Amino acid sequence: MHSLEGQVAIITGAASGIGREIAKRFCAAGAIAVIADLALPAAEATAAEFEAQGHKAMAVAMDVTSEEQVNAGIAAVLAAYGRIDVLVSNAGIQIVHPIEDFPFSDWKKMLAIHLDGAFLTTKAVLPAMYAAGHGSVIYIGSVHSKEASVLKSAYVTAKHGLLGLCRTLAKEGGKKGVRANVVCPGFVRTPLVEKQIPEQAQALGITEEQVIKNVMLKETVDGEFTTVDDVADCVLFFASARSKALTGQSIIVSHGWSME
């Protein structure tokens, strides 16, 4: 079993979905999981649930598009524990439109949550990681970090951008002991994806079943959704790697949808 005993791991968007499963897995590996989420009551409920199971967890309110909230949240973690070992930048949403109909406000919102959020949280944790001489930053990308799909221009652009941020951090942080990597899931049946099924069915003029079979899972080798467990496995792998050799990389978890 991978061990993160005593390490402090901040996971954004961790009150639900993929982020929650990552936090749960980190707790099982001995880490102190910081549940950073826009919805503080949900984050507090998640942290309380983990603590009731004998784990260590902390909830912080964090709108990842707000520099003030990000910095305040990171400061609270450092005040509580004096260290930050892992950052998982996971917070994200989805908005779909054809490019010609994509509201600029929605475009900016998407890039703010996915890219500004990754940048701001990274910037905030780096001083502590650099001072300690170690750290692991993991961005939750997507198959759309490697591929494109119709209606998802902002999402595809943002997820491609995470690769650039990761690779730059890997180069800047290497001599200071900080690693950076990206986990790129395929479709995971979270509330985010459930919401997309009827939206895409309406936009494409097809049934919801056809969206699942012929759009979402068409390129997989087995017609299966990726699971939150699959994603959490890979995040834990990157977080607990003992070798500094594993940095600046991305791993695709998608039932073969995208291969490289």
Side-chain angles (χ1 to χ4, degrees), residues 14-15 20 23 27 33-35 40-60:
R20 177 188 171 91
C27 281
V34 178
I35 315 299
L40 181 59
E44 289 173 337
T46 299
E49 182 182 326
F50 292 164
E51 290 197 314
Q53 296 166 357
H55 303 303
K56 293 182 179 178
M58 173 184 182
V60 295

Side-chain angles (χ1 to χ4, degrees), residues 36-160:
D37 205 279
L38 188 63
L40 181 59
E44 289 173 337
T46 299
E49 182 182 326
F50 292 164
E51 290 197 314
Q53 296 166 357
H55 303 303
K56 293 182 179 178
M58 173 184 182
V60 295
M62 192 177 290
D63 174 352
V64 296
T65 69
S66 164
E67 186 173 16
E68 292 74 22
Q69 274 205 33
V70 168
N71 290 345
I74 300 306
V77 175
L78 288 171
Y81 300 112
R83 61 189 288 176
I84 296 171
D85 302 280
V86 181
L87 166 67
V88 182
S89 177
N90 165 76
I93 63 166
Q94 181 62 278
I95 302 173
V96 295
H97 296 287
I99 294 172
E100 71 273 20
D101 295 329
F102 217 115
F104 187 37
S105 58
D106 283 348
W107 170 273
K108 288 189 285 188
K109 182 178 181 179
M110 288 289 289
L111 267 58
I113 293 170
H114 292 272
L115 285 180
D116 295 355
F119 165 73
L120 289 171
T121 51
T122 300
K123 182 181 179 184
V125 301
L126 282 182
M129 289 184 175
Y130 284 169
H134 75 93
S136 177
V137 177
I138 300 147
Y139 301 105
I140 303 301
S142 167
V143 167
H144 288 104
S145 297
K146 314 281 186 170
E147 307 271 350
S149 291
V150 297
L151 308 178
K152 296 185 177 180
S153 55
Y155 187 80
V156 170
T157 299
K159 293 303 191 183
H160 272 64

Side-chain angles (χ1 to χ4, degrees), residues 101-233:
D101 295 329
F102 217 115
F104 187 37
S105 58
D106 283 348
W107 170 273
K108 288 189 285 188
K109 182 178 181 179
M110 288 289 289
L111 267 58
I113 293 170
H114 292 272
L115 285 180
D116 295 355
F119 165 73
L120 289 171
T121 51
T122 300
K123 182 181 179 184
V125 301
L126 282 182
M129 289 184 175
Y130 284 169
H134 75 93
S136 177
V137 177
I138 300 147
Y139 301 105
I140 303 301
S142 167
V143 167
H144 288 104
S145 297
K146 314 281 186 170
E147 307 271 350
S149 291
V150 297
L151 308 178
K152 296 185 177 180
S153 55
Y155 187 80
V156 170
T157 299
K159 293 303 191 183
H160 272 64
L162 290 177
L163 295 178
L165 178 59
C166 165
R167 291 164 180 164
T168 304
L169 175 57
K171 291 199 170 190
E172 291 187 8
K175 291 182 179 177
K176 299 174 183 179
V178 173
R179 299 181 297 109
N181 295 285
V182 186
V183 174
C184 300
F187 277 105
V188 181
R189 205 151 185 181
T190 61
L192 188 72
V193 167
E194 291 287 358
K195 180 173 174 285
Q196 287 178 57
I197 295 171
E199 288 176 351
Q200 290 208 25
Q202 184 176 5
L204 298 172
I206 57 179
T207 67
E208 293 187 14
E209 187 179 336
Q210 286 172 320
V211 170
I212 294 171
K213 185 178 178 181
N214 300 331
V215 178
M216 291 185 168
L217 304 180
K218 181 181 178 182
E219 302 299 331
T220 64
V221 297
D222 53 10
E224 295 288 337
F225 279 100
T226 301
T227 69
V228 288
D229 276 339
D230 296 331
V231 181
D233 281 344

